[in-house]
Amino acid sequence: MKAHRIDGKAISDQIKAEAAWEAQKLQRQGIVPCLAVILVGEDPASKVYVNNKKKACEAVGILSRSYVLPADTEEKELLDLVAQLNADEGVHGILVQLPLPPHMDENQVILAIDPKKDVDCFHPWNVGLAQMGQQGFVPCTPAGVMELITRSGYAVEGKRCVVIGRSHNVGKPIAMLLLQANGTVTICHSKTRDLAEICCQADILVSAAGRVHMVTADMVKPGAVVIDVGINRDENGKLCGDVDFDAVCEVAGAVSPVPGGVGLMTVAMLMKNCITAAKLQNGQ
Ligand code: GUN
């Protein structure tokens, strides 16, 4: 069997086109949606991600403001900048690119962001609301995973879903969204016993482990939908996910590639959250 290759480019383009339409509507009312992006330090991957976010803003019609701070910036200086952006009515979304340098406390920085402008959906207030299924913002990567599944025509309700990885910002919220969509969800992690056996039961398998070729063909149920959230480098330095793509395609029903899958969706969902932020702050 040759799996359907889930097209993250087409789906993310569709979501960005929807966001662009909403951005135009806001602009006709004199509201220019604006995202402030803060990058601290020189992490090469972070620079690429921030650049992709800026380009997406341009394509969608969202104003982007960039703040690049040196790696040795005092945490207080970053907190002051966040406070200034919180108070700025022209800024609707604030994104602090992670990871921050080790001398900074990421939790304190995220707590400082006004929850109304927290377009990453990282603030505990928004995490709590998301868990209750009651809010405007969606966590970008997890929501992107859901869109990849549902816009490709696969239903979650009643399905056995297995998520590999339990990080606060990715694995856990993915599991929560699958549960909200009435999936039956198992979360696996580094201490899980019999990982392959559990994965083999999944109708929907989502890997957010961050390990090259961790998901092999023998871990996949025939016909399963496999979503690869990993962003890794292989032994040749080439970008790859967690899934042994070619081999898994022989067993699965559908697989999302890396690149060309979830990564594009994260940015598209961020655009959607920026529009939501601009609307919320204008009473819409
Ligand atoms: N670092 C890696 N992914 C993300 C993300 O989605 N948002 C932020 N703020 N930092 C990240």
Side-chain angles (χ1 to χ4, degrees):
M1 182 159 71
K2 259 284 173 207
H4 164 64
R5 183 188 170 98
I6 293 178
D7 191 346
K9 171 82 172 68
I11 297 172
S12 63
D13 280 348
Q14 196 179 6
I15 290 167
K16 284 190 284 183
E18 290 162 13
W21 173 253
E22 295 288 328
Q24 276 178 20
K25 276 205 284 187
L26 286 167
Q27 284 177 3
R28 281 199 292 275
Q29 303 164 49
I31 301 161
V32 182
C34 173
L35 171 68
V37 178
I38 305 172
L39 174 63
V40 187
E42 297 284 330
D43 181 66
S46 290
K47 281 188 185 173
V48 172
Y49 296 150
V50 163
N51 206 27
N52 289 343
K53 290 169 188 178
K54 270 201 292 197
K55 280 198 257 176
C57 281
E58 273 166 39
V60 167
I62 294 171
L63 195 65
S64 76
R65 284 208 221 154
S66 293
Y67 299 84
V68 181
L69 307 178
D72 61 357
T73 301
E74 295 278 344
E75 184 177 300
K76 168 86 171 61
E77 202 178 315
L78 175 58
L79 292 172
D80 287 349
L81 173 58
V82 169
Q84 182 194 317
L85 295 169
N86 282 342
D88 186 336
E89 287 187 4
V91 171
H92 303 103
I94 303 171
L95 182 149
V96 179
Q97 186 67 28
L98 303 180
L100 288 171
H103 68 281
M104 289 188 178
D105 181 342
E106 283 183 357
N107 290 336
Q108 287 307 316
V109 174
I110 286 164
L111 270 177
I113 298 171
D114 182 339
K116 291 196 294 298
K117 300 192 177 187
D118 169 38
V119 285
D120 263 324
C121 199
F122 285 172
H123 190 289
W125 176 271
N126 287 326
V127 172
L129 285 175
Q131 165 129 352
M132 297 160 80
Q134 283 186 14
Q135 61 155 16
F137 295 129
V138 290
C140 300
T141 300
V145 168
M146 296 304 288
E147 294 285 357
L148 277 185
I149 297 169
T150 54
R151 293 195 191 217
S152 300
Y154 302 103
V156 175
E157 181 156 318
K159 299 286 168 57
R160 278 183 179 254
C161 307
V162 172
V163 180
I164 311 174
R166 56 174 160 179
S167 66
H168 292 311
N169 294 336
V170 183
K172 268 193 231 175
I174 288 171
M176 176 203 63
L177 292 180
L178 289 164
L179 177 63
Q180 277 171 8
N182 296 323
T184 301
V185 184
T186 302
I187 305 175
C188 299
H189 46 79
S190 54
K191 301 286 187 284
T192 296
R193 280 186 230 150
D194 307 320
L195 177 67
E197 198 180 301
I198 296 168
C199 291
C200 270
Q201 294 175 27
D203 302 306
I204 297 173
L205 177 62
V206 181
S207 183
R211 274 177 56 193
V212 179
H213 286 182
M214 203 190 106
V215 177
T216 47
D218 60 305
M219 295 166 71
V220 175
K221 178 176 170 177
V225 175
V226 180
I227 305 292
D228 192 347
V229 191
I231 302 180
N232 314 302
R233 298 268 167 196
D234 70 9
E235 60 281 7
N236 303 314
K238 202 168 139 240
L239 194 66
C240 66
D242 294 348
V243 173
D244 185 357
F245 187 81
D246 291 339
V248 167
C249 276
E250 298 297 326
V251 183
V255 188
S256 75
V258 177
V262 174
L264 298 170
M265 296 300 296
T266 300
V267 179
M269 300 316 290
L270 173 68
M271 298 300 106
K272 186 173 171 176
N273 279 347
C274 290
I275 299 294
T276 301
K279 283 185 177 174
L280 283 174
Q281 284 156 58
N282 286 279
Q284 300 179 31

